[in-house]
Amino acid sequence: QVQLVESGGGLVQPGGSLNVSCAASGTIFSISDMGWYRQVPGNKRELVATITRSGNSNYADSVKGRFTISRDNAQNTVYLQMNSLKPEDTAIYYCNVRALVIIRGSYLPDNVWGQGTQVTVSS
């Protein structure tokens, strides 16, 4: 079983910065892609950024140039550095991990979501 623990959310003023993190634990054989998604009540969950194990990243147009995704493979952790925050960035941010886990000697794919962390941008 893979568990994800998110941290770093909070309240910031427009133009401010925030760094959220997500640490994966469990009997993990490997992790391929990691990413961040966000959701506002009443809206669909949308992709913010993804990153491969080798470090190739992809961003939504709305956050390009402002957000940076990174990962620490040794600690199975993904980060999202958010700069120049805008009120429209306000949402619950969820991390996502695509992993291969070991259960009783068998390898099984697992697509895991974090519990979500609230990011609020307001003056």
Side-chain angles (χ1 to χ4, degrees):
Q1 296 181 344
V2 178
Q3 294 182 339
L4 303 180
V5 179
E6 299 183 26
S7 62
L11 173 65
V12 296
Q13 295 183 345
S17 298
L18 202 62
N19 189 291
V20 293
S21 64
C22 176
S25 62
T27 54
I28 304 171
F29 176 76
S30 64
I31 295 176
S32 56
D33 298 336
M34 306 180 82
W36 289 94
Y37 297 73
R38 65 188 182 187
Q39 186 170 22
V40 177
N43 293 350
K44 298 192 303 180
R45 186 172 299 184
E46 64 178 13
L47 183 148
V48 176
T50 60
I51 185 169
T52 67
R53 184 173 182 83
S54 62
N56 294 320
S57 58
N58 181 60
Y59 299 91
D61 288 339
S62 60
V63 306
K64 285 183 178 179
R66 299 189 298 120
F67 291 9
T68 302
I69 188 170
S70 62
R71 61 189 288 172
D72 184 337
N73 291 334
Q75 297 188 11
N76 291 330
T77 302
V78 61
Y79 305 89
L80 185 67
Q81 177 65 48
M82 299 178 285
N83 299 324
S84 301
L85 283 162
K86 305 174 181 179
E88 49 263 46
D89 294 319
T90 296
I92 300 176
Y93 284 70
Y94 298 89
C95 66
N96 175 258
V97 172
R98 295 182 182 274
L100 192 65
V101 301
I102 304 174
I103 301 179
R104 293 190 175 183
S106 299
Y107 296 92
L108 298 173
D110 200 3
N111 187 7
V112 187
W113 291 92
Q115 81 279 6
T117 183
Q118 178 70 49
V119 172
T120 302
V121 184
S122 176
S123 60

